[in-house]
Amino acid sequence: MKKFMVAVSLGLLLFSCKPGKKIPDVSGIKVDVEVQRFDKALFAIDTANVEASLNKLQEQYPSFLNDYLYNILMAPPFPDSVIQKVKLFTRDYGSLYKAVQQKFPDFNEAGEVKRGLQFVKHYFPSYKVPAKIITFIGPLEGYGNVLTADGLAVGLQLYMGKDFPVYQTDFISNVYPAYRSRRFEPQYIAANCMRNIIDDMFAYNPAGKPLVEQMIESGKRLYLLDQLLPESADSVKTGYTQQQLDGCYAHEAAIWNFFLKNNLLYESDPFLIRDYINDGPKTTELGEGAPGNIGQFVGWQVVKKWMEKNDKKTLPELMQTPARQIFNEAKYKPK
């Protein structure tokens, strides 16, 4: 497919376009959330008697321990192999564990997660919110956030700050390029937890869908995330830098025109649309300052336009409305 390249240098003109929000008062919504420091419990085990220690952990974490051992630590399902895996892991990650305890002695970040859950209950009262936030330390190349049967599990090894020396090693920098590891900051914990909640409530399979529908589905989720964490920075919720986000607003019309002129909206070839809807360092066709996954920004603006026209719609109604219908009714045309 021949593409008409539009020269857009996002980030040259910096300003923020964010009108005031009406934030519901959720202070009266009761959400009981217990913080469990599985990371401390695991690294406190007696490595001379791992089997007995794991049996005690099983009493305290009857469901999560199995999730941790077999889905996070990826231990083989054999007792001797599990014991050996735990021994090696606690030995090899001992120094990282100490750094985590210095960084997160009390895990105050749970407060923002709890507030997000209050908004979840406000907008979706029938949804059963997790009753626990479980902190753990897993393999660096593994999970940072998991929604388990026991609760929201947070892998603190991936929130040590973008300049944490371990992230600068050759192995980890190959696993996590700089555009991803710069988000390994504590302020991303609540947003990632809420994304897990959103995915649990509204599962979506983009396979075979045209770009415009994928963008709007991403926009719906971003709009919902914005309502669940209304005080959080939009740069954290989008994953963009503030400069990238400001550039998107500054060149919103040019971005939209790029998709129109290149006939990309109804394109469904994954190879042709992946750079616009997947995470990445940048969108080359739109200039060095354009973020990867710029399609979510476009979809977000379309959804905001639709919600302005349908201000009586609830968030559940938004999420249940087909993407194509939102696109047709929004009449999105930025200037």
Side-chain angles (χ1 to χ4, degrees):
M1 181 184 68
K2 186 177 179 181
K3 294 184 179 179
F4 176 84
M5 299 304 175
V6 179
V8 180
S9 181
L10 300 188
L12 292 179
L13 182 58
L14 304 180
F15 67 89
S16 179
C17 177
K18 188 174 180 180
K21 293 181 181 177
K22 289 185 178 180
I23 301 177
D25 180 7
V26 297
S27 59
I29 297 178
K30 186 177 181 181
V31 172
D32 293 321
V33 182
E34 177 188 1
V35 176
Q36 294 187 335
R37 295 299 299 263
F38 178 84
D39 53 316
K40 292 184 178 182
L42 179 72
F43 280 82
I45 67 171
D46 180 4
T47 54
N49 197 348
V50 173
E51 184 175 4
S53 296
L54 289 179
N55 287 335
K56 289 183 180 179
L57 269 184
Q58 187 81 61
E59 295 175 4
Q60 187 178 359
Y61 300 91
S63 175
F64 181 72
L65 180 62
N66 286 338
D67 281 334
Y68 179 79
L69 292 175
Y70 302 116
N71 298 324
I72 295 174
L73 210 55
M74 302 300 288
F78 308 105
D80 290 344
S81 298
V82 169
I83 291 171
Q84 186 66 11
K85 185 82 170 181
V86 171
K87 276 186 177 180
L88 291 175
F89 184 79
T90 52
R91 182 199 69 188
D92 294 344
Y93 276 69
S95 59
L96 190 145
Y97 167 72
K98 292 178 182 177
V100 166
Q101 300 318 303
Q102 292 178 346
K103 183 81 171 179
F104 300 99
D106 301 313
F107 196 60
N108 294 324
E109 290 72 15
E112 188 179 4
V113 178
K114 179 179 178 180
R115 182 155 170 79
L117 294 176
Q118 287 178 303
F119 281 101
V120 172
K121 289 299 292 182
H122 172 75
Y123 291 114
F124 304 93
S126 63
Y127 180 75
K128 185 178 180 181
V129 300
K132 298 175 184 176
I133 300 172
I134 307 168
T135 61
F136 69 89
I137 295 174
L140 281 160
E141 67 275 23
Y143 294 101
N145 286 84
V146 187
L147 181 59
T148 72
D150 268 10
L152 284 164
V154 180
L156 297 179
Q157 78 280 359
L158 294 182
Y159 292 103
M160 293 296 291
K162 60 182 174 57
D163 297 322
F164 186 54
V166 173
Y167 301 153
Q168 317 308 318
T169 62
D170 289 342
F171 172 69
I172 297 302
S173 61
N174 284 330
V175 176
Y176 301 111
Y179 76 89
R180 293 188 64 187
S181 62
R182 70 168 181 78
R183 304 174 195 149
F184 290 175
E185 298 282 352
Q187 61 262 36
Y188 286 85
I189 290 175
N192 290 337
C193 286
M194 291 305 108
R195 285 193 186 92
N196 281 342
I197 297 291
I198 292 170
D199 289 342
D200 185 51
M201 289 193 292
F202 303 103
Y204 173 66
N205 182 4
K209 305 291 186 182
L211 178 61
V212 66
E213 292 188 21
Q214 293 193 45
M215 290 196 297
I216 291 172
E217 285 296 339
S218 293
K220 286 162 65 174
R221 282 155 176 73
L222 186 52
Y223 185 93
L224 177 52
L225 180 63
D226 193 27
Q227 310 310 306
L228 300 182
L229 295 172
E231 296 102 346
S232 297
D234 285 351
S235 58
V236 170
K237 287 175 281 198
T238 59
Y240 304 160
T241 66
Q242 188 60 50
Q243 184 174 357
Q244 288 173 332
L245 183 58
D246 290 340
C248 286
Y249 279 116
H251 299 282
E252 185 178 347
I255 296 168
W256 181 242
N257 286 334
F258 169 81
F259 288 109
L260 293 178
K261 291 179 180 179
N262 288 290
N263 298 315
L264 286 168
L265 292 184
Y266 299 101
E267 181 60 66
S268 58
D269 186 332
F271 180 78
L272 295 176
I273 65 177
R274 63 185 180 183
D275 291 344
Y276 310 118
I277 206 66
N278 293 332
D279 197 12
K282 60 184 177 182
T283 302
T284 305
E285 294 88 346
L286 290 169
E288 288 296 314
N293 193 15
I294 201 168
Q296 73 163 347
F297 173 82
V298 176
W300 189 26
Q301 307 317 305
V302 175
V303 170
K304 284 194 283 189
K305 186 73 173 177
W306 187 81
M307 287 297 284
E308 287 173 6
K309 291 185 172 184
N310 298 273
D311 58 354
K312 302 300 182 185
K313 293 287 187 182
T314 64
L315 289 180
E317 288 173 328
L318 164 67
M319 299 307 293
Q320 292 161 8
T321 302
R324 188 67 67 95
Q325 179 182 339
I326 290 175
F327 174 66
N328 291 334
E329 294 176 356
K331 309 291 184 190
Y332 176 67
K333 193 175 182 181
K335 298 179 180 179

